């Protein structure tokens, strides 16, 4: 059974032909993630079938993802803790004639927004894309305001859905993780009203008032230090990679909630000490419902927050690996259907990379078909082993096809070399299949 059958095999679109097409199209897009739909498909007939599939009223994106959600739930059952990371990204389709697009950061820029929930384990194993919001903004009215649905609602609804999963999986602790945009009092109150069925961990954006009139950040700054940590901060957004040392503080506080009383929260401060000259200190203020009694408790929350980077990597794979902003489809609804497939493709690429690092001893046939790992050896001019090879070895061979050098100081393969290498493997498998078919 292929990976696409694992993820889309139970899809129910009301037509067996559509169900089969979903599996096939997922396989094609995963094999050529950076190519256009016509180039990913094999022949004109298959391309026409793909476009008919994307435009069919029965191929609702939520119905399409339902099978993947079921598989993801089963993966969650194997873990004591699952981090449900939410964030929003812009999809720039400027210059396209796609119907239904709206303004982005600039009113003249055309595109749409994607806000998924990306589920991972604390060890950063990708478990699935659990849901998503996709929308295009309405243009501003004459009064300079937008009158469509309030966008902050997606954060609150996201936490509600995580809470629903927590009740469905009582043996697995569900944690809602989000950056500063989710620092919304209505979300914190809603989480409390749901009896904290799911924990939350949100980076603080607002210096909120406390009942005595003081401010949250000032009180947190005065909290006794629990200890210190050191970690390597990767390069990004004009920042060089460097070592970071932070002091850690935590306190339980009551936030003032208007005239309706107070709201208890745990606040954690991770503040960089002795940042290099010219570098912005790394400071995180985190809000959670979970109590912090020790340095280990605080470090657990900090590690969970640092794992939020995984959704940024997911967006990177979607945009650069799958090149979703190059899609040329007639309307937003077709883009949403295509995104449902591409989100699972991007999840798979990241999952392969992470499992290759964390569980390299796994047998490769758990994630690859025999013809795939055989092709990886052949393309690297190596004889395939008689038995099933280890996952880590196959991942490195595939990444080498995408430009990974594999020297001692190179570390482990990244997502980009992996998606480029998967393309070459897919081409090789298709050629060998064509030769067998005569």
């Amino acid at each position: 059974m292929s990976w696409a059958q694992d993820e889309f095999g139970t899809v129910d679109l009301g037509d067996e032909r559509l169900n089969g097409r979903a599996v096939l199209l997922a396989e094609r897009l995963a094999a050529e993630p950076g190519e256009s739909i016509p180039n990913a498909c094999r022949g004109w007939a298959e391309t026409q079938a793909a476009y008919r599939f994307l435009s069919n009223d029965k191929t609702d994106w939520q119905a399409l993802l339902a099978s993947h959600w079921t598989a993801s739930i089963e993966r969650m059952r194997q873990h004591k803790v699952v981090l449900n990371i939410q964030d929003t990204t812009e999809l720039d389709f400027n210059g396209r004639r796609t119907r239904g697009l709206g303004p982005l950061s600039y009113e003249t820029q055309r595109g749409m927004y994607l806000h998924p929930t990306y589920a991972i384990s604390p060890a950063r194993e990708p478990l699935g894309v659990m849901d998503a919001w996709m929308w295009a903004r309405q243009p501003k009215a004459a009064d300079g305001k937008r009158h469509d649905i309030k966008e902050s609602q997606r954060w609150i609804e996201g936490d509600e859905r995580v809470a629903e999963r927590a009740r469905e999986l009582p043996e697995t602790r569900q944690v809602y993780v989000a950056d500063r945009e989710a620092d919304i009092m209505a979300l914190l109150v809603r989480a409390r009203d749901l009896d904290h069925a799911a924990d939350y961990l949100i980076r603080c954006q607002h210096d909120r008032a406390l009942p005595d009139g003081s401010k949250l950040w000032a009180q947190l700054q005065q909290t006794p230090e629990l200890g210190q940590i050191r970690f390597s901060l990767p390069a990004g957004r004009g920042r060089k990679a460097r070592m970071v040392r932070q002091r850690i503080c935590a306190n339980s506080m009551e936030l003032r909630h208007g005239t309706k009383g107070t709201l208890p929260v745990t606040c954690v401060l991770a503040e960089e000490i002795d940042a290099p000259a010219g570098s912005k200190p790394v400071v995180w203020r985190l809000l959670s419902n979970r109590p912090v009694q020790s340095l280990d408790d605080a470090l657990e929350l900090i590690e969970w927050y640092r794992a939020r980077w995984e959704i940024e990597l997911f967006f990177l794979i979607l945009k650069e690996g799958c090149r979703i902003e190059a899609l040329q489809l007639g309307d937003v609804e077709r883009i949403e259907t295509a995104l449902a497939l591409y989100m699972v493709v991007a999840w798979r690429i990241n999952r392969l990379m992470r499992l290759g690092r964390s569980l390299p001893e796994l047998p490769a046939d758990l994630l690859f078909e025999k013809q795939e790992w055989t092709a990886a050896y052949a393309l690297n001019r190596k004889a395939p082993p008689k038995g099933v090879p280890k996952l880590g070895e196959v991942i490195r061979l595939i990444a080498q096809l995408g430009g990974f050098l594999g020297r001692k100081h190179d570390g482990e393969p990244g997502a980009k070399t992996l998606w480029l290498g998967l393309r070459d493997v897919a081409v090789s498998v298709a050629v060998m299949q064509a030769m067998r078919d005569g």
Side-chain angles (χ1 to χ4, degrees):
M1 181 179 292
S2 72
W3 77 269
Q5 289 171 317
D6 289 337
E7 300 305 316
F8 294 102
T10 62
V11 68
D12 184 6
L13 300 174
D15 186 318
E16 286 301 323
R17 293 169 299 178
L18 290 176
N19 297 342
R21 181 61 57 183
V23 174
L24 179 61
L25 187 52
E27 289 177 345
R28 295 291 189 257
L29 297 180
E32 302 278 356
E35 294 294 337
S36 65
I37 292 174
N39 286 344
C41 293
R42 297 176 185 173
W44 177 236
E46 196 171 290
T47 300
Q48 286 182 306
Y51 282 119
R52 285 196 301 270
F53 175 85
L54 296 175
S55 62
N56 194 303
D57 291 339
K58 294 181 179 179
T59 54
D60 173 78
W61 70 266
Q62 292 176 309
L64 189 55
L65 277 178
S67 178
H68 172 69
W69 292 340
T70 299
S72 299
I73 288 290
E74 293 307 308
R75 284 186 285 269
M76 286 184 176
R77 293 186 193 277
Q78 310 306 313
H79 298 271
K80 293 182 178 179
V81 177
V82 170
L83 308 180
N84 296 268
I85 310 171
Q86 280 202 338
D87 205 356
T88 305
T89 191
E90 287 187 345
L91 302 180
D92 186 351
F93 294 109
N94 211 31
R96 304 286 191 280
R97 296 181 179 180
T98 303
R99 295 182 296 276
L101 297 175
L104 297 176
S105 299
Y106 299 98
E107 201 67 16
T108 57
Q109 190 181 16
R110 312 303 289 173
M112 59 185 292
Y113 288 86
L114 172 65
H115 182 89
T117 301
Y118 191 61
I120 67 171
S121 73
R124 304 196 183 192
E125 175 190 342
L127 302 175
V129 185
M130 291 311 301
D131 53 46
W133 284 259
M134 305 183 214
W135 74 96
R137 284 176 173 170
Q138 296 296 317
K140 290 181 179 179
D143 59 5
K145 298 180 180 179
R146 303 189 202 281
H147 298 287
D148 43 4
I149 297 173
K150 194 173 183 180
E151 292 181 2
S152 60
Q153 187 63 29
R154 68 190 182 272
W155 300 98
I156 300 171
E157 291 181 4
D159 182 65
E160 290 173 342
R161 294 183 187 180
V162 175
E164 291 172 4
R165 283 195 294 278
R167 294 190 179 94
E168 183 181 350
L169 300 170
E171 301 301 318
T172 301
R173 179 194 300 166
Q174 301 287 331
V175 185
Y176 176 87
V177 182
D179 214 11
R180 286 173 282 199
E181 194 177 351
D183 182 11
I184 304 167
M185 180 58 75
L187 187 154
L188 305 181
V189 171
R190 181 58 177 156
R192 180 199 62 187
D193 293 344
L194 292 172
D195 296 324
H196 296 127
D199 295 326
Y200 65 80
L201 179 63
I202 297 170
R203 187 173 178 184
C204 183
Q205 177 173 228
H206 304 295
D207 190 8
R208 299 188 183 278
L210 304 180
D212 63 2
S214 61
K215 289 289 191 173
L216 172 62
W217 294 3
Q219 288 290 330
L220 191 55
Q221 195 74 28
Q222 296 171 15
T223 302
E225 182 180 302
L226 289 173
Q228 297 183 4
I229 60 170
R230 288 174 60 89
F231 61 89
S232 176
L233 183 71
R237 296 182 181 180
R239 179 191 66 217
K240 294 182 179 180
R242 60 184 175 88
M243 289 301 299
V244 171
R245 182 163 64 101
Q246 291 179 317
R247 72 182 191 97
I248 308 301
C249 306
N251 202 353
S252 297
M253 299 185 185
E254 297 279 338
L255 301 182
R256 193 164 67 193
H257 181 212
T259 60
K260 301 177 183 179
T262 61
L263 181 75
V265 296
T266 296
C267 306
V268 177
L269 171 66
E271 182 178 48
E272 186 173 7
I273 303 170
D274 301 327
S279 297
K280 184 178 179 180
V282 178
V283 180
W284 299 322
R285 300 178 184 89
L286 307 177
L287 301 177
S288 181
N289 63 294
R290 293 192 56 75
V292 172
Q293 306 292 345
S294 65
L295 177 61
D296 286 343
D297 291 342
L299 293 183
E300 181 177 57
L301 295 181
I302 291 168
E303 284 303 306
W304 289 354
Y305 176 74
R306 289 182 62 200
R308 200 199 67 82
W309 165 251
E310 292 303 304
I311 199 169
E312 303 289 352
L313 180 57
F314 172 72
F315 289 152
L316 176 71
I317 297 171
L318 266 180
K319 292 183 177 183
E320 295 192 12
C322 300
R323 298 184 66 239
I324 56 172
E325 291 173 314
L327 286 172
Q328 299 191 44
L329 297 170
D331 53 53
V332 165
E333 288 74 19
R334 297 183 192 186
I335 290 178
E336 290 176 346
T337 303
L339 278 173
L341 293 169
Y342 276 115
M343 283 193 291
V344 180
V345 169
W347 160 82
R348 178 180 182 253
I349 292 171
N350 202 20
R351 179 172 171 79
L352 290 174
M353 181 194 73
R354 286 299 180 196
L355 290 180
R357 294 181 180 187
S358 61
L359 297 170
E361 301 299 315
L362 284 176
D365 61 356
L366 290 179
L367 294 161
F368 292 103
E369 296 182 68
K370 183 177 181 179
Q371 59 264 38
E372 291 176 319
W373 59 258
T374 300
Y377 280 92
L379 291 171
N380 279 281
R381 300 183 179 180
K382 293 185 176 183
K386 294 181 179 179
V388 177
K390 296 177 181 178
L391 175 63
E393 183 175 353
V394 173
I395 291 292
R396 292 177 74 87
L397 288 173
I398 293 173
Q400 285 170 9
L401 299 173
F404 176 67
L405 298 178
R407 299 167 297 187
K408 289 184 178 180
H409 64 278
D410 285 335
E412 296 299 323
K416 184 174 183 178
T417 56
L418 188 56
W419 79 59
L420 291 174
L422 285 170
R423 177 194 60 192
D424 291 349
V425 167
V427 171
S428 177
V429 169
V431 170
M432 289 189 290
Q433 183 65 48
M435 292 175 66
R436 283 195 295 269
D437 293 344

